[in-house]
Amino acid sequence: MPEPTLHSNGVPIPFSPDLFAPLRASADLLHDPAALRRRLGADGYVYLPGALDRAAVLRLRGAYFSLLPEGYLAAGSRPEDGLFSGRVPAGLAEYGVAGHPAHAFVRSRAFEEFTADPFLAALARELLGGDAWMLPRRILRHFHRGSGRASRAHVDLDYMNALSTAPRVLTLWIPVGDCPPRTGSLVYLEGSHTLAPEEYEPLRDKGDRPGDRRPISHDLELTARHLGRRWLWADFAAGDLVVHVPRIVHASLDTTTDAMRLSADVRFVRSDDTPDPRWLAPWSADDGA
Ligand SMILES: O=C(O)CCC(=O)C(=O)O
């Protein structure tokens, strides 16, 4: 079980039954696309423990962490463990911009091959109910303890709204390594894909990023209480996968373990829809999208 108090962006949230509940696992529906689609519609996500090859996920983890400069990883540890030394070596480029390993990694053959797994495309096709393709902007997220950084509560659609019609799009969130809540896992606000945006609009006024209306809130307890819903969590392991719809509110917790949080989010869009043009180039942390 997680600690009695978790944090997101440095803000505490009690791990209590009025604020947290478990994600519902749907791996048993993988053989039944229609039922899986219904579950996605009902819950706004499908959580698929063990859907991916754990060894392949851990290889990907090792491939990324082996690119970090000397001194970043704990002495004597393996890249695959992704253990933080407690010190970011001086001179490293800002996270995810050209010159940082994450920027190179999303353009690497290892990442390309991993995300090209036909299982992912087939799953997206089944859930979108038609031909779909993967948007080139695929994000790698790496957090270490002490950074006080996590993803604020948001809906993906607010980052993909350049067109007047919303594309039919799905996000596949892939923890690249074991990721319990204390390592900074993703949490979903129960049933929040059915909320009208006006219901969470007031929260944006109290955010920690004045001038950016896209995040809903950095304060997960305030968000849960304002909307009267719990955060759904899981003890994610390498090989797990969650698919979510673009209107579900989600966020991540702070990393407090030596094991660093690494994840990838990839998005698939229906082939007969026009995607937001900002998602057509490989991700860079400073691309403004
Ligand atoms: O991994 C995270 O912290 C955020 C991921 C996310 O927002 C997404 O996959 O849509």
Side-chain angles (χ1 to χ4, degrees):
M1 288 302 273
E3 285 81 31
T5 304
L6 297 169
H7 291 80
S8 179
N9 288 289
V11 181
I13 174 167
F15 184 73
S16 56
D18 55 331
L19 292 169
F20 284 94
L23 278 171
R24 171 150 65 157
S26 293
D28 57 320
L29 300 183
L30 266 174
H31 65 282
D32 185 348
L36 202 60
R37 240 186 344 263
R38 279 197 300 277
R39 178 69 59 83
L40 180 70
D43 291 352
Y45 71 88
V46 289
Y47 165 40
L48 302 170
L52 301 174
D53 176 11
R54 176 175 172 86
V57 174
L58 293 176
R59 270 198 305 279
L60 192 73
R61 181 173 175 87
Y64 170 68
F65 284 126
S66 66
L67 300 179
L68 296 185
E70 177 138 15
Y72 206 132
L73 297 179
S77 65
R78 299 173 308 168
E80 184 176 304
D81 300 330
L83 295 182
F84 185 38
S85 66
R87 182 177 67 85
V88 178
L92 185 62
E94 277 292 302
Y95 182 72
V97 305
H100 187 280
H103 186 275
F105 194 66
V106 298
R107 292 160 176 79
S108 70
R109 178 184 286 222
F111 190 71
E112 191 60 51
E113 285 177 1
F114 181 84
T115 55
D117 181 344
F119 168 75
L120 299 179
L123 180 64
R125 232 182 358 257
E126 279 168 3
L127 289 172
L128 283 165
D131 259 3
W133 63 289
M134 186 169 51
L135 294 176
R137 187 170 185 270
R138 293 161 300 184
I139 306 179
L140 187 77
R141 302 188 200 252
H142 164 198
F143 297 110
H144 57 72
R145 70 171 156 72
S147 71
R149 279 189 49 218
S151 301
R152 294 167 178 80
H154 68 281
V155 298
D156 290 353
L157 212 51
D158 285 332
Y159 294 81
M160 315 185 86
N161 59 359
L163 303 171
S164 55
T165 51
R168 286 166 290 181
V169 64
L170 288 177
T171 298
L172 278 54
W173 185 78
I174 305 169
V176 184
D178 295 339
C179 192
R182 61 185 184 284
T183 299
S185 62
L186 207 66
V187 286
Y188 290 92
L189 196 66
E190 192 173 26
S192 55
H193 59 301
T194 62
L195 291 169
E198 296 73 47
E199 295 180 69
Y200 44 79
E201 199 56 33
L203 288 167
R204 300 192 206 262
D205 297 327
K206 300 183 186 140
D208 63 344
R209 265 194 169 175
D212 186 356
R213 301 287 296 175
R214 295 173 304 174
I216 294 170
S217 181
H218 63 296
D219 185 335
L220 302 194
E221 180 173 2
L222 176 73
T223 305
R225 297 215 185 277
H226 178 86
L227 295 166
R229 282 152 202 266
R230 298 172 296 181
W231 289 102
L232 305 181
W233 68 283
D235 188 356
F236 292 107
D240 294 355
L241 157 72
V242 193
V243 185
H244 66 250
V245 300
R247 289 185 193 277
I248 192 163
V249 179
H250 55 292
S252 66
L253 297 163
D254 288 350
T255 303
T256 58
T257 52
D258 284 349
M260 294 188 276
R261 199 275 228 170
L262 190 68
S263 66
D265 37 278
V266 300
R267 293 173 174 80
F268 284 84
V269 64
R270 277 277 296 243
S271 305
D272 44 353
D273 282 356
T274 307
D276 183 322
R278 295 170 298 180
W279 289 76
L280 298 179
W283 167 76
S284 176
D286 57 357
D287 63 15

